């Protein structure tokens, strides 16, 4: 209990409650707290370009390791892309049906560049605008599509050089870790940003604004649970195992993620558990670490729902073309939202920055509640990667199915935690 007040989760929760109360008691003064939320968002947006560049570049450059393992790597990438795309589409469908942002109208604030330019650009103009004038132009102007193009070209160039570029890839990877360390510092200011954003929201738009935010949160939770039960459950069933027994087997890892809001916190234990289940060590060693960058199902669901939610509260009616462009952008930017608390919000900001028709003002609404959706995202990511490992192992003939069924049956029969056996292989 003595350390409870040090928990960022508790601090954000307390800040949100104080913001709501302040908004109810003194709406005008609460509305003046807007700069606190805006300042926090500016700190986040400051990191978007470098993080997108570092994570996507390293991710593409290290695909060479997957190419080297041949068949398993190709099957893993195919599975990741299919399931991640399915998660993105499901999130997009649910948010369009549920429409959690309808009824809450946020002032658009500063007009986006596209609006200021007048007529919408043609397809040719759009494609030409994606190409930056210089390599650094996209970073300076905050144009994420241009940053994505530079990142893709840089990653492909490093990939083509193989081992000769390993030192530079390691340096960029270290830069990525440093940037996420900065994210950790910035996230310590999340309670202040959450207080300012929530006080402004309630003070300006009334208590009814909480209903829209609650509807979004409920939608994300329900969608993630249904994705686990229906989609992942069906995939695991095709692999010859039952979902509920499998979830019981990795229950401790799920609880670890629930407490830390980071799916990476359970990575070592999960890898050992899957090896003991009967998955071959090479498959586990390849699929799990790679999945933490390329197979973030929960994050994908949240991204599409949150992006469209911001458009809805801003009064922007996205066309089918614009929603498909969001999906295309998320297929890249969601690969940089791995495991670190706060990275999901940065990735969302990067996605919205690439869609000029969506004003940035609505993003402030998510500052207070983003933290409360991180647990379900992380748990969905964890389960998705565990299921992926089993499926790839079964697909490659590297899963002892009879042993796996026996282990799951035993774990269901034994009360209490599953005991981890030490790794005696020396690997």
């Amino acid at each position: 209990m003595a350390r409870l007040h040090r928990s960022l989760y508790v601090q954000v929760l307390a800040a949100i409650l104080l913001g709501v109360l302040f908004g109810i008691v003194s709406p005008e003064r609460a509305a003046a707290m807007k700069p606190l939320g805006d300042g926090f968002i500016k700190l986040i947006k400051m990191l978007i370009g470098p993080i997108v560049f570092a994570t996507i570049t390293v991710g593409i450059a290290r695909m060479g390791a997957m190419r080297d393992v041949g068949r398993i790597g190709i099957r893993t990438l195919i599975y990741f892309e299919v399931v991640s795309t399915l998660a993105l589409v499901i999130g997009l469908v649910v948010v369009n049906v549920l429409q959690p942002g309808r009824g809450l109208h946020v002032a658009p604030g500063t007009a986006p560049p596209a609006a200021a330019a007048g007529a919408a650009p043609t397809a040719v103009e759009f494609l030409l605008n994606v190409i930056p004038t210089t390599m650094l132009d996209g970073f300076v102007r905050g144009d994420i599509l241009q940053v994505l193009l530079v990142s893709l070209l840089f990653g492909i160039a490093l990939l083509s050089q193989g081992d000769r570029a390993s030192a530079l890839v390691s340096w960029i990877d270290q830069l990525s870790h440093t940037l996420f360390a900065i994210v950790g510092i910035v996230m310590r200011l999340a309670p202040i940003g959450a207080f300012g954003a929530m006080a402004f929201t309630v003070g300006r738009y009334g208590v009814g604004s909480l209903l829209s935010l609650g509807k979004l949160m409920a939608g994300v939770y329900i969608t993630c649970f249904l994705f686990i039960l229906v989609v992942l459950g069906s995939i695991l069933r095709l692999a010859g195992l039952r979902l509920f027994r499998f979830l019981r087997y990795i229950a401790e890892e799920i609880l670890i993620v629930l407490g830390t809001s980071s799916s990476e916190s359970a990575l070592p234990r999960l890898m050992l558990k899957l090896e003991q289940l009967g998955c071959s060590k090479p498959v586990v060693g390849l699929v799990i670490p790679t999945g933490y960058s390329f197979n973030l199902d929960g994050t994908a669901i949240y991204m599409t729902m949150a992006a469209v939610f911001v458009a809805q509260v801003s009064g922007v009616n996205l066309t089918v073309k614009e929603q498909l462009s969001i999906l295309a952008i998320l297929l890249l930017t969601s690969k940089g939202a791995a495991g670190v608390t706060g990275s999901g919000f940065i990735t969302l900001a990067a996605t919205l920055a690439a869609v000029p028709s969506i004003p940035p003002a609505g993003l402030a609404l998510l500052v207070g509640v983003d933290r409360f959706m991180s647990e379900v995202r992380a748990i969905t990511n964890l389960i998705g990667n565990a299921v992926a490992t089993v499926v790839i192992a079964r697909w490659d003939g590297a899963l002892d199915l009879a042993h796996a069924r026996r282990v799951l049956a035993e774990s269901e029969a034994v009360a209490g935690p599953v005991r981890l056996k030490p790794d005696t292989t020396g690997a």
Side-chain angles (χ1 to χ4, degrees):
M1 292 296 292
R3 296 181 179 180
L4 193 62
H5 69 282
R6 298 181 182 179
S7 168
L8 182 62
Y9 188 95
V10 174
Q11 293 173 6
V12 171
L13 178 60
I16 287 175
L17 292 176
L18 288 174
V20 171
L21 291 175
F22 190 31
I24 294 174
V25 174
S26 182
E28 291 186 3
R29 291 182 178 179
M33 296 295 105
K34 187 175 183 291
L36 295 179
D38 290 346
F40 178 74
I41 292 176
K42 287 191 71 175
L43 285 172
I44 293 293
K45 292 175 69 175
M46 171 185 72
L47 298 167
I48 290 174
I51 285 180
V52 168
F53 171 78
T55 52
I56 291 180
T57 299
V58 172
I60 293 174
R62 289 189 171 168
M63 284 174 64
M66 297 194 67
R67 180 185 59 190
D68 292 339
V69 299
R71 181 185 63 255
I72 299 175
I74 293 173
R75 289 177 175 178
T76 300
L77 285 176
I78 292 173
Y79 177 89
F80 284 168
E81 288 307 314
V82 170
V83 177
S84 295
T85 303
L86 183 59
L88 288 170
V89 172
I90 289 174
L92 187 62
V93 171
V94 171
V95 75
N96 277 283
V97 172
L98 193 61
Q99 296 195 347
R102 295 301 179 193
L104 176 62
H105 300 290
V106 176
T110 303
T122 64
V124 173
E125 291 172 338
F126 173 80
L127 292 175
L128 288 176
N129 288 335
V130 172
I131 304 173
T133 304
T134 68
M135 289 283 285
L136 298 178
D137 193 37
F139 295 90
V140 174
R141 298 193 297 108
D143 191 321
I144 298 303
L145 285 179
Q146 294 184 355
V147 173
L148 284 173
L149 177 62
V150 172
S151 304
L152 285 170
L153 294 174
F154 214 90
I156 293 171
L158 292 175
L159 177 62
S160 67
Q161 295 179 64
D163 292 338
R164 290 179 299 169
S166 59
L168 181 55
V169 174
S170 297
W171 184 87
I172 297 175
D173 186 42
Q174 184 56 52
L175 173 63
S176 174
H177 289 296
T178 303
L179 290 169
F180 278 119
I182 297 175
V183 171
I185 296 172
V186 172
M187 289 307 294
R188 300 308 304 179
L189 301 175
I192 298 175
F195 169 79
M198 195 57 66
F200 166 74
T201 301
V202 176
R204 173 68 64 86
Y205 304 109
V207 182
S209 60
L210 300 178
L211 180 62
S212 294
L213 294 173
K215 198 173 180 181
L216 173 65
M217 291 176 60
V220 171
Y221 270 81
I222 292 172
T223 305
C224 285
F225 286 141
L226 289 177
F227 182 84
I228 292 171
L229 293 176
V230 178
V231 178
L232 296 182
S234 299
I235 293 173
L236 192 61
R237 187 66 176 172
L238 291 174
L241 298 177
R242 295 182 179 179
L243 178 66
F244 288 105
R245 284 186 174 182
F246 185 71
L247 294 180
R248 168 66 183 83
Y249 180 66
I250 61 171
E252 283 186 293
E253 288 66 42
I254 293 175
L255 290 176
I256 291 173
V257 172
L258 180 63
T260 61
S261 298
S262 172
S263 52
E264 286 189 347
S265 59
L267 186 147
R269 289 176 55 93
L270 181 64
M271 293 179 71
L272 187 54
K273 278 267 189 85
L274 291 172
E275 290 173 22
Q276 293 181 2
L277 185 65
C279 299
S280 72
K281 195 179 186 73
V283 171
V284 174
L286 173 69
V287 177
I288 288 293
T290 309
Y292 276 80
S293 289
F294 285 90
N295 188 45
L296 303 174
D297 301 328
T299 302
I301 291 171
Y302 165 75
M303 291 298 176
T304 46
M305 296 188 69
V308 178
F309 170 81
V310 172
Q312 290 173 353
V313 300
S314 303
V316 176
N317 293 317
L318 295 174
T319 64
V320 174
K321 180 181 177 182
E322 287 174 322
Q323 294 197 30
L324 289 177
S325 69
I326 290 176
L327 280 181
I329 294 168
L330 282 170
L331 282 173
L332 290 174
T333 56
S334 62
K335 301 299 185 288
V340 181
T341 300
S343 60
F345 190 77
I346 288 180
T347 306
L348 175 62
T351 304
L352 294 180
V355 185
S357 61
I358 303 178
L363 191 62
L365 292 174
L366 298 175
V367 173
V369 298
D370 175 82
R371 184 66 177 79
F372 299 100
M373 290 179 277
S374 60
E375 288 90 349
V376 72
R377 296 199 304 259
I379 289 174
T380 306
N381 293 340
L382 175 87
I383 297 172
N385 284 318
V387 170
T389 305
V390 173
V391 171
I392 298 301
R394 179 68 192 282
W395 189 1
D396 200 60
L399 171 67
D400 188 339
L401 187 59
H403 174 76
R405 288 172 174 169
R406 186 166 58 252
V407 170
L408 294 184
E410 290 174 357
S411 69
E412 188 178 41
V414 176
V418 177
R419 185 181 298 275
L420 285 175
K421 299 176 183 178
D423 186 356
T424 59
T425 64

